[in-house]
Amino acid sequence: MSEDADGPRVLIVDDDPFTRTVLRGVVDVPPFTVVGVSGTFAGGLSAARREKPTVVLVDLDLGLGRLDHALALAGAAVGEGRRDLRLLVLERDVANEDEAVLERRRH
């Protein structure tokens, strides 16, 4: 995978503000650089086209629950002639989360 001289460029797309914050905190350390964060598919698509990340972390649900949306983000990030993207699709099993964790996320 080819990256910029500064390392992998990461785009985070997740509809949950808490998850976006945690992912950014975990990922935005050298050699990684978070080049965009979005809470919507449309915002993620725009950021992917503009920033051309080499890694996209995307929530499978995004309120849409469709893998083709994740693939569309990947296509926008890759653009013409590039084949160096890594797509990581995330999914959370809310049914098994601790009630205290869910309560903290509401605030």
Side-chain angles (χ1 to χ4, degrees):
M1 176 165 101
S2 71
E3 285 108 14
D4 291 349
D6 296 326
R9 297 168 45 81
V10 181
L11 171 62
I12 298 169
V13 185
D14 194 297
D15 60 348
D16 180 27
F18 178 80
T19 301
R20 289 193 308 269
T21 300
V22 169
L23 287 173
R24 183 172 202 142
V26 169
V27 174
D28 204 8
V29 295
F32 298 93
T33 301
V34 174
V35 296
V37 179
S38 179
T40 65
F41 170 72
L45 200 55
S46 176
R49 288 182 178 132
R50 181 180 60 253
E51 300 297 338
K52 300 297 184 199
T54 55
V55 178
V56 177
L57 299 176
V58 60
D59 177 11
L60 178 61
D61 293 329
L62 270 184
L64 306 167
R66 298 183 51 173
L67 184 56
D68 58 335
H69 285 100
L71 296 175
L73 282 168
V78 171
E80 300 241 352
R82 284 188 49 213
R83 304 249 184 257
D84 60 349
L85 178 80
R86 299 295 188 258
L87 176 66
L88 297 158
V89 180
L90 309 173
E91 183 177 31
R92 183 178 68 244
D93 183 5
V94 177
N96 290 323
E97 285 192 20
D98 182 273
E99 186 59 37
V101 170
L102 292 174
E103 184 60 31
R104 279 194 305 270
R105 299 177 102 211
R106 288 183 208 130
H107 300 290

